Amino acid sequence: MGNTWGKIFRVTTWGESHGPAIGAVLDGVPAQLPLCADDIQHDLDRRCAVGKYATQRHETDRVSILSGIYAGLTLGTPIMLLIPNSDAHSEDYHGWEKFYRPGHGDYTWEQKYGIRDPRGGGRCSARETVGRVAAGAVARKLLRLKAGVEILAWAEQIGRIKADVNRSAVSIELVEDSPWRCPDKAAEMAIRDELEKAASSGDSLGGTVGLVLRNVPAGWGEPICDKLNAMLAQALLSIPAVRGVEFGEGFAAASMRGSDHNDAFCQRDGAVRTLTNHCGGILGGISNGGEIYLRVAFKPTPTIAQTQRTVTREGEEVEFAFKGRHDVCFVPRAVPVVEAMAALVLADCYLLHRACCC
Amino acid sequence: MGNTWGKIFRVTTWGESHGPAIGAVLDGVPAQLPLCADDIQHDLDRRCAVGKYATQRHETDRVSILSGIYAGLTLGTPIMLLIPNSDAHSEDYHGWEKFYRPGHGDYTWEQKYGIRDPRGGGRCSARETVGRVAAGAVARKLLRLKAGVEILAWAEQIGRIKADVNRSAVSIELVEDSPWRCPDKAAEMAIRDELEKAASSGDSLGGTVGLVLRNVPAGWGEPICDKLNAMLAQALLSIPAVRGVEFGEGFAAASMRGSDHNDAFCQRDGAVRTLTNHCGGILGGISNGGEIYLRVAFKPTPTIAQTQRTVTREGEEVEFAFKGRHDVCFVPRAVPVVEAMAALVLADCYLLHRACCC
Amino acid sequence: MGNTWGKIFRVTTWGESHGPAIGAVLDGVPAQLPLCADDIQHDLDRRCAVGKYATQRHETDRVSILSGIYAGLTLGTPIMLLIPNSDAHSEDYHGWEKFYRPGHGDYTWEQKYGIRDPRGGGRCSARETVGRVAAGAVARKLLRLKAGVEILAWAEQIGRIKADVNRSAVSIELVEDSPWRCPDKAAEMAIRDELEKAASSGDSLGGTVGLVLRNVPAGWGEPICDKLNAMLAQALLSIPAVRGVEFGEGFAAASMRGSDHNDAFCQRDGAVRTLTNHCGGILGGISNGGEIYLRVAFKPTPTIAQTQRTVTREGEEVEFAFKGRHDVCFVPRAVPVVEAMAALVLADCYLLHRACCC
Amino acid sequence: MGNTWGKIFRVTTWGESHGPAIGAVLDGVPAQLPLCADDIQHDLDRRCAVGKYATQRHETDRVSILSGIYAGLTLGTPIMLLIPNSDAHSEDYHGWEKFYRPGHGDYTWEQKYGIRDPRGGGRCSARETVGRVAAGAVARKLLRLKAGVEILAWAEQIGRIKADVNRSAVSIELVEDSPWRCPDKAAEMAIRDELEKAASSGDSLGGTVGLVLRNVPAGWGEPICDKLNAMLAQALLSIPAVRGVEFGEGFAAASMRGSDHNDAFCQRDGAVRTLTNHCGGILGGISNGGEIYLRVAFKPTPTIAQTQRTVTREGEEVEFAFKGRHDVCFVPRAVPVVEAMAALVLADCYLLHRACCC
């Protein structure tokens, strides 16, 4: 249970880290949308390992579209996206079925299901996000073509280094220009240092991802349960290692006064706008036509090279240290995942709004 | 669309702030659960206005159970909970249909639906949470009787005053003993001051709510979409005025190293436990049997007595000031709402787990 | 579980036969639809007992709209419809909790839930259809105003008497003109006889209901699971006492040849039409723009005055005979229920189609 | 939209007739169920073409399990089943995109989606049932291992020839022993004749399929919307070419009296049973512990070799005749499809019941 997002634009991902393949099936994608594998490949490539601080698994993920397309257009039928799992070094995980890795889902998944796939964490691996990114690329194209929506994320904090990013000016070019998807040139040296120190000590880092959604029309979101921020929160908290999400001023709003936080309405160019944007583009759970922005917190990668204490399945307390490939900090690679989840939510909101509120 | 929580334990709330009544219908509540109105009334009373800094609307909400009960037991059929709207001073809102209140959903709801109920904000009012609290009381009873789960929230920050609360020692008695549901005696004076200053200047405050879930067995949560933290996040972000949520160390985890954040496993009294609890009781989206804790950020009440700028439906820029009843800070009253939403999520997780994973 | 129809136009009914009230909550009704209690009352009146062969319970069901409406228009928020249960003679059922009535759900509901409400069958009573009819009236109005759809049912067979009805010419006036909602004057005497004989022997009759859906545009229905005929079938089979449904030629199609059953396409007035209509207006699970028709089979009323054998909850074999009020044949009263269920399905199809296929 | 069955045991099928592959994703399958490709292959083989009156397309469908399995056991994660489309003669359909085949979904699907895949009917082809049968095999295994449920269907009528089948005595051996899956030796000659005549005249036949479900415990089904019969009806009506379904006495019940149709309860071997089984094992939408039986009506194969009238996409009236491979009567091949759909519904009912009613 629980592998499907959305009510109309429905995405079910499937696959384990070291199984034969991984992917997603999309139901509810409107017909006649131009779509080909290249539309998806681009985001998959962005998700793959980059830089010396990321895992050295060479994930050259190639997507195949197995259904739902004819003559370059969507048919309105389910779209099956399949990505073979190549370069899976299961031997790196040999012996891992015997104990529970701290910070991972080994113990809880085994408690729930009574069984787990120990090869690379099975479905609890971050590799599972491949299917999300593939599906998100379809959602993103739908949103761009139908509504002009732009979805952009970036690394805002890596370890203890917080970047200074102007969310209204940042662009995909600025983000991708950075080796860590952090569009703050001034922070580059500090981040390199932070990564270097963590790597050299066999440790790992967390961080945050910022996200901005542009050109979302006023009116999206389905109160009161499926408010736009609520749906985004669920989608983002389902990403491995995410520990929190905040919209607009977020936790800082708790310390503000109403007279400071309220965004005054004004009339600009024949449309209602706000003079400030403390609310982050969402009011009462519905988009207000302004820029939507939020921030996602990631814990540090649980896989580290240092020796850790844990217990075996038989209840024996043991020590172990991981020898395989892993990310020092997965925040840079999480950027396209955050974008993908936002795209899935927005695509569903768009179709729901179309159903009920024309 | 979008007024239902849950997949099996399904709760649909209904009602506008100044309509004849408000309530919730619950489907999927297991049969043979002892239930009477008093079980629900207690939480409704807690939600009602308390203290001089809360709205002076005398919400003496009385619930009726219209279906789903026979001889004091649930029947397994839908349970309809109805609470009449009394003491609704619609005249306080006279003229409000003409313009959009800053910080409220007036503008966005009207953009979405092309119509809105201006009386007290209609369904976008915090009064809508009455139905949630009533439904949450049923979920809470189910969880207590079937699994011994305890759900406890408190005000952790009011305005700029952050309380010091030992989450593992706090009790319902300590929380309810405080006029602001803040179980930190040392912070009482500072909070009173903060509230006094905001009130006297016609302003409002935000804050945060802490939540702890005790005795949740290992294994609850449905990865990868319906992870326990993801479902909690959606439910909590659907509460009016919530701007963020964080689990365990939350945003602070972004600055930690893996070697610090990972909770080592140990064996205690024949069970697997963790030496620390940075993860907040959830790993890989599934409860680990430890204490679950999280924090919710609320923006300041948007209704303030100060003059504000806005626009009318006709696009004219105007100024206005609210003269009616309102909360200076709704964090204390939000405490039982946070508990209710957590209860709804946990009840659903409990039943989903029972379905798939015995 | 299982008390909700629809994916977007979502209807949850609630209530037991002898509880304080019964009703439905509708979520997903588009905003700005003109709606008042009178729109619903008309269909409720049609569902109520009529004629000497129907139950003598005087069901003067009066509906109240408790939410979702402002200034005569729907708000896009949940619409709560409540109908008090009056004239409930629970004493008629005294002692019935002790044994299982043949043909009723007493035994199965008790097996499932471990408890049942014996007063009038609780939620397993046909009285539960009150909420459906109320909700159906809203769906019907939406369909009429937005798409001009007409929904019309009639009694096609009562006991062994089969009427001769021209489905393309029949009108609501012809149906309501008949004391049994059977628009075949020639069959009137035979039906009266059939009813008289069953009544005088303390027995009951079954029958069939015919249904025609006019002006449904081509394109409604969501293959392959939620085909239009599949969704109609589920909705109709959920009506108490329904034993079968057939579309177009139905079971007779099993004996036809492809060359006879296929409806040739032709071009008429600039549109694609079929020369015949054996398929009943649905092809590949999607409406083809022609008249949709189907037939529903009802078993005879299980409540009869004759002595019957059964067992008690303690497993003792006993005999009993019912002395209270009941319908000799509920087919005439089922006519508006069949219409209501069709309306719920079509309203959902309409909104789903709007979401995905503009 | 609309390609998923079930609430907990969720099956989404995907794929077009002449795309690269076809299959299903299953979510909600309990963990630790022994499962391998052979479990599925058996039913796929049964679905494939048999006999000279079936299509000569050599569908040697080989299934691969791409996820959800480890060490021969289900993991509780999504199970992806993939069957490559081989032997697809798309050239048989050359030119077919230009007009609408009578009796097929060509016209309606194009009206709905504005586009269609003309190769073999795309997703509107009966080939789509491959994914259902594969998924059904998993459901069937779950039901057999967990509850001992047996699911058995057979051809009960082929063309105008109605078989005489003792539903309580029929076995899989008797069914598979017949070239047409019709376990009535006496009807064999007549059926052969009927098929021969239809084939020689380039025509096709319909028929009916009977289904019996054995050992279903009392208590399955979720009233009032998701009654067991209602869910079965939806699943069965979603099979291509199905025109009707009837439970127990079905349409014949319409002509019966209550005193004849009611099944008296009795006490046998310490359990409540019924003396007769007119109701078909379901009362009030819930299984009563007895044999469940139903009948499904199929229209004749719409693909025939005779010349037919239709119109082109440009609105020109034309004649055409099909020259490719097709079934004279698909009832024999529909038998495992009917079983599969029943299995999907029962598996979901089983898990739903486990969630709510322990």
Side-chain angles (χ1 to χ4, degrees):
Chain A
M1 266 299 284
N3 292 279
T4 303
W5 287 273
K7 289 188 157 50
I8 295 189
F9 191 98
R10 295 179 66 75
V11 172
T12 305
T13 72
W14 54 272
E16 277 73 42
S17 180
H18 287 58
I22 205 161
V25 59
L26 291 80
D27 196 10
V29 182
Q32 304 188 62
L33 181 76
L35 189 71
C36 65
D38 282 350
D39 293 320
I40 298 163
Q41 195 58 51
H42 176 68
D43 280 342
L44 285 180
D45 292 344
R46 290 178 67 219
R47 201 205 73 93
C48 276
V50 288
K52 64 178 282 207
Y53 303 104
T55 168
Q56 295 305 303
R57 176 169 174 175
H58 296 97
E59 296 184 341
T60 49
D61 294 321
R62 304 299 307 175
V63 67
S64 297
I65 305 179
L66 297 189
S67 67
I69 305 284
Y70 178 68
L73 297 174
T74 57
L75 284 164
T77 60
I79 298 171
M80 173 51 83
L81 306 177
L82 182 143
I83 300 102
N85 278 328
S86 56
D87 195 39
H89 293 201
S90 293
E91 62 276 13
D92 283 358
Y93 304 90
H94 189 63
W96 287 51
E97 69 282 7
K98 296 182 187 154
F99 59 90
Y100 307 118
R101 292 170 297 163
H104 284 276
D106 295 353
Y107 172 68
T108 54
W109 284 51
E110 190 173 307
Q111 283 293 304
K112 181 176 193 66
Y113 301 113
I115 182 176
R116 71 184 156 101
D117 179 353
R119 300 166 302 164
R123 184 154 174 77
C124 192
S125 161
R127 177 146 182 81
E128 166 271 316
T129 59
V130 168
R132 307 188 190 204
V133 169
V138 181
R140 193 193 284 251
K141 184 155 192 192
L142 173 72
L143 290 163
R144 191 175 68 240
L145 292 184
K146 294 283 184 178
V149 169
E150 186 189 355
I151 298 168
L152 183 63
W154 60 87
E156 186 147 308
Q157 178 182 343
I158 289 181
R160 287 157 306 180
I161 312 304
K162 299 187 186 184
D164 184 14
V165 179
N166 177 342
R167 69 168 185 267
S168 299
V170 67
S171 67
I172 181 75
E173 291 74 22
L174 287 172
V175 173
E176 295 299 318
D177 194 42
S178 154
W180 307 293
R181 295 206 169 97
C182 178
D184 176 4
K185 283 280 181 199
E188 200 164 309
M189 287 290 285
I191 292 174
R192 188 183 308 269
D193 253 31
E194 181 85 350
L195 285 162
E196 200 65 64
K197 273 185 238 156
S200 64
S201 59
D203 216 333
S204 66
L205 300 176
T208 67
V209 170
L211 174 73
V212 67
L213 308 173
R214 294 171 181 152
N215 300 326
V216 175
W220 289 13
E222 300 292 325
I224 54 161
C225 169
D226 300 335
K227 289 178 171 178
L228 181 48
N229 40 342
M231 294 176 76
L232 284 166
Q234 182 188 18
L236 294 167
L237 261 301
S238 76
I239 300 174
V242 169
R243 310 310 293 161
V245 62
E246 56 180 5
F247 294 83
E249 296 287 345
F251 278 83
S255 303
M256 294 173 74
R257 293 242 170 142
S259 57
D260 292 325
H261 190 275
N262 280 356
D263 300 306
F265 285 111
C266 61
Q267 192 77 11
R268 291 289 177 275
D269 307 323
V272 174
R273 292 283 176 265
T274 56
L275 288 174
T276 50
N277 187 8
H278 298 298
C279 74
I282 301 176
L283 276 172
I286 299 174
S287 59
N288 73 358
E291 205 168 58
I292 295 172
Y293 67 97
L294 57 88
R295 190 179 295 109
V296 187
F298 286 80
K299 70 175 184 183
T301 318
T303 302
I304 57 177
Q306 297 184 11
T307 298
Q308 299 183 80
R309 297 175 54 184
T310 188
V311 296
T312 66
R313 296 180 72 183
E314 281 71 37
E316 189 190 359
E317 300 198 344
V318 295
E319 292 197 336
F320 84 104
F322 184 63
K323 302 282 179 256
R325 310 166 299 185
H326 74 279
D327 295 278
V328 172
C329 178
F330 41 37
V331 166
R333 293 182 68 194
V335 164
V337 180
V338 166
E339 291 173 354
M341 296 316 296
L344 295 189
V345 169
L346 282 183
D348 200 37
C349 285
Y350 164 59
L351 296 182
L352 283 167
H353 185 66
R354 220 160 71 155
C356 294
C357 305
C358 307
Chain B
M1 265 300 282
N3 293 278
T4 302
W5 288 272
K7 288 186 158 52
I8 295 189
F9 191 98
R10 295 177 66 75
V11 172
T12 306
T13 70
W14 55 271
E16 277 73 41
S17 179
H18 288 58
I22 205 160
V25 59
L26 291 81
D27 197 10
V29 181
Q32 306 188 59
L33 181 76
L35 189 71
C36 65
D38 281 350
D39 293 320
I40 298 163
Q41 194 60 49
H42 177 68
D43 280 344
L44 285 181
D45 291 345
R46 290 177 68 219
R47 202 206 71 93
C48 277
V50 287
K52 63 179 281 206
Y53 304 104
T55 166
Q56 296 305 304
R57 174 169 174 176
H58 295 98
E59 296 184 341
T60 49
D61 293 323
R62 303 300 307 175
V63 68
S64 296
I65 306 179
L66 296 189
S67 68
I69 306 283
Y70 178 68
L73 297 173
T74 56
L75 285 164
T77 58
I79 298 172
M80 172 53 81
L81 307 176
L82 181 144
I83 299 102
N85 279 327
S86 55
D87 195 39
H89 294 199
S90 293
E91 62 276 14
D92 283 359
Y93 304 90
H94 190 64
W96 288 48
E97 70 280 7
K98 295 182 187 155
F99 59 90
Y100 307 118
R101 291 171 297 163
H104 284 276
D106 295 352
Y107 172 67
T108 54
W109 283 51
E110 189 173 308
Q111 283 293 303
K112 180 174 194 66
Y113 300 111
I115 182 176
R116 71 181 155 104
D117 179 352
R119 300 167 303 166
R123 187 157 172 75
C124 193
S125 162
R127 178 148 182 82
E128 168 270 315
T129 59
V130 168
R132 308 188 189 205
V133 169
V138 181
R140 193 193 285 249
K141 184 155 192 191
L142 173 72
L143 291 163
R144 192 177 67 239
L145 293 183
K146 295 282 186 179
V149 169
E150 187 189 354
I151 298 169
L152 183 62
W154 59 87
E156 186 147 310
Q157 179 182 340
I158 290 181
R160 288 157 305 179
I161 313 304
K162 298 186 187 185
D164 184 14
V165 179
N166 177 340
R167 69 169 184 266
S168 298
V170 69
S171 68
I172 179 76
E173 290 74 22
L174 287 173
V175 173
E176 294 300 318
D177 193 43
S178 154
W180 308 292
R181 295 205 170 97
C182 179
D184 177 3
K185 282 280 181 197
E188 199 163 311
M189 286 290 285
I191 293 174
R192 190 184 305 270
D193 253 31
E194 182 85 350
L195 284 163
E196 201 64 64
K197 273 186 237 153
S200 64
S201 60
D203 216 333
S204 66
L205 301 176
T208 68
V209 170
L211 174 74
V212 68
L213 308 173
R214 295 172 180 151
N215 300 326
V216 175
W220 289 12
E222 301 292 323
I224 53 165
C225 168
D226 300 334
K227 289 179 172 176
L228 181 49
N229 42 342
M231 291 175 78
L232 284 167
Q234 182 187 18
L236 294 168
L237 261 301
S238 76
I239 300 174
V242 169
R243 310 310 293 161
V245 61
E246 57 179 5
F247 295 83
E249 296 287 346
F251 277 85
S255 303
M256 294 173 76
R257 294 241 170 143
S259 57
D260 293 325
H261 190 274
N262 280 357
D263 300 305
F265 285 110
C266 61
Q267 192 78 8
R268 290 292 177 274
D269 308 323
V272 174
R273 292 284 175 266
T274 56
L275 289 174
T276 49
N277 187 6
H278 298 299
C279 74
I282 302 175
L283 277 172
I286 297 174
S287 58
N288 72 357
E291 206 167 58
I292 295 171
Y293 66 97
L294 57 87
R295 191 179 295 109
V296 188
F298 286 80
K299 70 175 186 184
T301 318
T303 302
I304 56 176
Q306 296 184 12
T307 298
Q308 297 183 81
R309 294 174 56 184
T310 189
V311 296
T312 67
R313 299 181 70 183
E314 279 71 38
E316 189 191 359
E317 301 197 342
V318 295
E319 293 196 336
F320 84 104
F322 184 62
K323 301 282 178 257
R325 308 167 298 184
H326 74 279
D327 294 279
V328 171
C329 177
F330 41 36
V331 166
R333 295 182 67 193
V335 164
V337 179
V338 166
E339 291 173 353
M341 297 317 297
L344 295 188
V345 168
L346 281 184
D348 200 37
C349 286
Y350 163 59
L351 297 182
L352 283 167
H353 185 65
R354 220 160 72 154
C356 292
C357 304
C358 306
Chain C
M1 264 299 281
N3 292 279
T4 303
W5 287 272
K7 288 187 157 54
I8 295 188
F9 191 98
R10 294 178 66 76
V11 173
T12 305
T13 71
W14 55 272
E16 277 74 40
S17 180
H18 288 58
I22 205 161
V25 176
L26 292 81
D27 196 11
V29 181
Q32 306 189 59
L33 182 75
L35 189 70
C36 65
D38 281 349
D39 293 320
I40 298 164
Q41 195 59 51
H42 177 67
D43 280 344
L44 285 181
D45 292 344
R46 290 178 68 218
R47 202 206 72 94
C48 276
V50 287
K52 63 178 282 206
Y53 304 104
T55 168
Q56 296 305 304
R57 174 168 175 177
H58 295 97
E59 297 183 339
T60 49
D61 294 323
R62 304 300 307 176
V63 67
S64 296
I65 306 179
L66 296 190
S67 68
I69 305 284
Y70 179 67
L73 296 174
T74 57
L75 284 164
T77 60
I79 298 172
M80 163 64 158
L81 307 177
L82 181 143
I83 300 103
N85 278 328
S86 54
D87 196 38
H89 294 199
S90 292
E91 61 276 23
D92 284 359
Y93 304 91
H94 189 64
W96 287 51
E97 69 281 7
K98 297 182 185 154
F99 59 91
Y100 307 118
R101 291 171 298 164
H104 284 277
D106 295 352
Y107 172 68
T108 54
W109 283 51
E110 190 173 307
Q111 284 292 304
K112 181 175 192 67
Y113 301 112
I115 182 176
R116 72 182 154 103
D117 179 353
R119 300 166 303 164
R123 185 156 173 75
C124 193
S125 161
R127 177 147 184 82
E128 168 270 313
T129 59
V130 168
R132 307 187 190 204
V133 169
V138 180
R140 193 192 285 249
K141 184 155 192 191
L142 173 71
L143 291 162
R144 191 175 68 238
L145 292 184
K146 294 283 186 177
V149 170
E150 186 189 355
I151 298 168
L152 183 63
W154 59 88
E156 186 147 310
Q157 179 182 341
I158 290 181
R160 289 158 305 180
I161 311 306
K162 298 187 186 183
D164 184 15
V165 178
N166 177 340
R167 70 167 183 267
S168 298
V170 68
S171 68
I172 180 73
E173 290 75 21
L174 286 173
V175 173
E176 294 299 319
D177 194 39
S178 154
W180 307 292
R181 294 206 170 99
C182 178
D184 176 4
K185 282 279 182 198
E188 198 163 311
M189 286 290 286
I191 292 174
R192 189 183 306 270
D193 253 29
E194 182 85 350
L195 285 162
E196 199 65 62
K197 274 186 238 156
S200 64
S201 60
D203 217 333
S204 66
L205 300 176
T208 67
V209 169
L211 174 73
V212 66
L213 308 173
R214 295 172 181 150
N215 300 326
V216 175
W220 290 12
E222 300 293 324
I224 56 165
C225 168
D226 300 335
K227 288 178 172 178
L228 181 49
N229 40 343
M231 292 175 78
L232 285 166
Q234 182 187 17
L236 294 168
L237 261 301
S238 75
I239 300 174
V242 168
R243 310 311 294 162
V245 61
E246 57 179 6
F247 295 82
E249 296 287 345
F251 277 84
S255 303
M256 294 172 74
R257 295 240 169 142
S259 57
D260 293 324
H261 190 274
N262 280 356
D263 301 305
F265 286 111
C266 61
Q267 192 78 9
R268 290 292 178 274
D269 307 324
V272 174
R273 292 282 175 264
T274 57
L275 288 174
T276 51
N277 187 7
H278 298 298
C279 74
I282 301 175
L283 276 171
I286 297 173
S287 58
N288 73 358
E291 205 167 60
I292 295 171
Y293 67 98
L294 58 88
R295 190 179 295 109
V296 187
F298 286 81
K299 71 174 184 183
T301 318
T303 302
I304 56 177
Q306 296 184 11
T307 298
Q308 297 184 81
R309 295 175 55 184
T310 189
V311 296
T312 65
R313 299 180 71 183
E314 280 70 38
E316 188 190 358
E317 301 199 342
V318 294
E319 294 197 334
F320 84 104
F322 184 63
K323 301 284 179 255
R325 308 166 299 185
H326 74 279
D327 294 279
V328 172
C329 178
F330 41 38
V331 166
R333 293 182 68 192
V335 164
V337 180
V338 166
E339 291 173 353
M341 297 315 298
L344 295 188
V345 169
L346 282 183
D348 200 37
C349 286
Y350 163 60
L351 297 182
L352 283 166
H353 185 65
R354 220 159 72 156
C356 292
C357 304
C358 306
Chain D
M1 264 300 283
N3 292 279
T4 303
W5 287 272
K7 288 186 157 52
I8 295 188
F9 191 98
R10 296 178 66 76
V11 172
T12 305
T13 71
W14 56 272
E16 277 75 41
S17 180
H18 287 58
I22 204 160
V25 176
L26 291 80
D27 196 10
V29 182
Q32 305 188 61
L33 182 76
L35 189 71
C36 67
D38 281 349
D39 293 320
I40 298 162
Q41 195 59 49
H42 176 67
D43 280 343
L44 286 180
D45 292 345
R46 290 178 67 219
R47 202 207 72 93
C48 277
V50 288
K52 63 179 283 206
Y53 304 104
T55 167
Q56 296 305 303
R57 176 169 175 175
H58 295 96
E59 297 184 340
T60 50
D61 293 322
R62 304 298 308 174
V63 67
S64 296
I65 305 180
L66 296 188
S67 67
I69 306 284
Y70 178 68
L73 297 174
T74 56
L75 285 164
T77 60
I79 299 172
M80 164 66 160
L81 306 176
L82 181 142
I83 301 103
N85 279 327
S86 56
D87 196 40
H89 293 200
S90 293
E91 60 278 12
D92 284 358
Y93 304 91
H94 189 65
W96 286 50
E97 70 279 7
K98 295 181 186 154
F99 59 90
Y100 307 118
R101 291 171 298 163
H104 284 277
D106 296 354
Y107 172 68
T108 54
W109 283 51
E110 189 172 309
Q111 283 292 304
K112 181 174 193 66
Y113 301 111
I115 182 177
R116 71 183 156 102
D117 179 353
R119 300 165 304 164
R123 185 156 173 75
C124 193
S125 162
R127 179 150 181 80
E128 167 269 315
T129 59
V130 168
R132 306 187 191 204
V133 169
V138 180
R140 194 192 286 250
K141 184 155 192 191
L142 173 72
L143 291 163
R144 191 175 68 240
L145 293 184
K146 295 281 184 178
V149 170
E150 186 189 355
I151 299 168
L152 183 62
W154 59 88
E156 186 148 308
Q157 179 182 339
I158 291 181
R160 288 158 307 180
I161 312 304
K162 298 185 186 184
D164 184 13
V165 179
N166 177 341
R167 70 168 183 267
S168 298
V170 68
S171 69
I172 180 75
E173 291 74 22
L174 287 173
V175 173
E176 294 299 318
D177 194 42
S178 155
W180 308 292
R181 296 205 169 97
C182 178
D184 176 4
K185 283 280 180 199
E188 199 164 311
M189 287 289 286
I191 293 174
R192 190 182 307 270
D193 252 32
E194 183 84 351
L195 285 162
E196 201 64 64
K197 273 187 237 154
S200 65
S201 60
D203 216 333
S204 65
L205 300 176
T208 67
V209 170
L211 174 74
V212 67
L213 308 173
R214 294 171 181 152
N215 300 327
V216 175
W220 290 12
E222 300 292 325
I224 56 165
C225 169
D226 299 335
K227 289 178 172 177
L228 181 49
N229 42 343
M231 292 176 79
L232 285 166
Q234 182 188 17
L236 295 167
L237 261 301
S238 76
I239 300 174
V242 169
R243 311 309 294 160
V245 62
E246 56 179 6
F247 295 82
E249 296 287 346
F251 277 86
S255 303
M256 294 173 75
R257 292 239 171 145
S259 57
D260 293 325
H261 190 274
N262 279 356
D263 300 307
F265 285 111
C266 62
Q267 192 78 7
R268 291 287 177 276
D269 308 324
V272 174
R273 292 284 176 265
T274 57
L275 290 174
T276 50
N277 187 6
H278 298 298
C279 76
I282 301 174
L283 276 173
I286 298 174
S287 58
N288 72 358
E291 206 168 59
I292 295 171
Y293 67 97
L294 58 87
R295 192 180 294 109
V296 187
F298 286 81
K299 71 175 185 182
T301 318
T303 303
I304 57 177
Q306 296 184 10
T307 298
Q308 299 184 80
R309 297 174 55 183
T310 189
V311 297
T312 67
R313 297 181 71 183
E314 280 71 38
E316 189 190 357
E317 300 197 343
V318 294
E319 293 196 336
F320 83 105
F322 184 63
K323 300 283 179 257
R325 310 166 296 186
H326 73 279
D327 294 280
V328 172
C329 177
F330 40 37
V331 166
R333 294 181 68 193
V335 164
V337 179
V338 166
E339 290 173 354
M341 297 315 298
L344 295 188
V345 169
L346 281 183
D348 200 37
C349 285
Y350 164 59
L351 297 182
L352 283 167
H353 185 65
R354 219 160 73 155
C356 293
C357 304
C358 306

